[in-house]
Amino acid sequence: MRRNPERRQALIDAAIEVLAREGARGLTFRAVDVEAAVPPGTASNYFANRDDLFTQVGGRIYERLLPDEAAIARSQEGVQDEARYAELMHELVDRVAAFNSGYLALLELRLESTRRPELRAVLTKRIREDIDANIGYHAASGLPGDSTSVVLLYLALNWLIVERLTLPDIFTEQEIHELVEAAVRRSLNA
């Protein structure tokens, strides 16, 4: 196995693009080599097999979806009320939708995880950690609501993002804005 971490990351990022565009069946070492513009056979020197590639792609997508330090700092500024909560959820939806290939690749990985136990374990662990981190952040933030509010918003906004990325003509940007506002309001008043 090769040990060039920058090349490995570039190959994984290329795999995300291939997975989003071609689906799980299209994610081959050859396709990754072409996407990364590297010599044929390069990806096979970095990943033991396709399962290894799928697993590493799953971890990388979440790295790229995380907010940066500046976004985290901004989220802690100002009054932590319902309006601020809605603003944070708008930022979340926009950030995730901006990495559309990553989110689409994640959907492919979720489907593939029903057939690949190692991938299922990686995604389950990573997503559970993400949910727990969001609940912990929420509890410490002073925002209104409770852990159930966080989970309800996680579920509702994930599906809203799916609609936005896969069938973008279903909801206008204004409708998406209104739906995020309603989801926050209703999760807090449930």
Side-chain angles (χ1 to χ4, degrees):
M1 266 322 112
R2 297 292 173 116
R3 298 285 182 226
N4 180 334
E6 294 81 21
R7 169 75 53 97
R8 178 180 297 278
Q9 188 165 327
L11 291 167
I12 294 169
D13 287 342
I16 290 169
E17 299 304 316
V18 171
L19 187 58
R21 187 177 59 246
E22 306 294 332
R25 292 191 186 272
L27 184 61
T28 63
F29 288 148
R30 182 175 299 154
V32 172
D33 289 341
V34 169
E35 182 72 24
V38 296
T42 301
S44 64
N45 288 324
Y46 282 83
F47 307 100
N49 50 44
R50 286 183 74 224
D51 283 336
D52 183 27
L53 181 59
F54 278 118
T55 300
Q56 291 193 39
V57 165
R60 176 72 175 138
I61 289 170
Y62 270 91
E63 288 173 15
R64 291 183 58 189
L65 284 172
L66 290 174
D68 61 23
E69 296 290 327
I72 292 171
R74 279 192 315 274
S75 73
Q76 298 167 347
E77 296 171 354
V79 177
Q80 302 293 307
D81 58 7
E82 183 178 317
R84 181 68 178 139
Y85 202 175
E87 182 182 331
L88 292 171
M89 294 303 99
H90 286 294
E91 290 173 8
L92 170 74
V93 169
D94 292 343
R95 183 180 71 249
V96 172
F99 182 33
N100 63 336
S101 60
Y103 200 81
L104 293 172
L106 182 58
L107 293 175
E108 289 286 342
L109 286 175
R110 283 173 170 248
L111 293 172
E112 194 64 23
S113 75
T114 65
R115 296 175 286 279
R116 297 178 186 268
E118 288 180 13
L119 179 58
R120 181 180 317 126
V122 166
L123 290 179
T124 298
K125 180 180 183 293
R126 184 63 188 100
I127 291 170
R128 184 73 249 176
E129 287 172 353
D130 189 46
I131 291 169
D132 290 344
N134 285 324
I135 290 170
Y137 168 79
H138 180 85
S141 72
L143 287 165
D146 57 14
S147 62
T148 301
S149 302
V150 174
V151 174
L152 287 171
L153 285 170
Y154 165 81
L155 294 169
L157 297 182
N158 265 296
W159 201 256
L160 180 63
I161 293 166
V162 168
E163 296 297 341
R164 186 177 187 181
L165 296 178
T166 61
L167 300 169
D169 297 330
I170 289 185
F171 300 112
T172 66
E173 288 301 314
Q174 180 61 37
E175 288 172 318
I176 290 170
H177 181 83
E178 291 168 0
L179 288 167
V180 170
E181 296 281 328
V184 169
R185 187 173 47 259
R186 291 181 183 191
S187 74
L188 296 177
N189 297 319

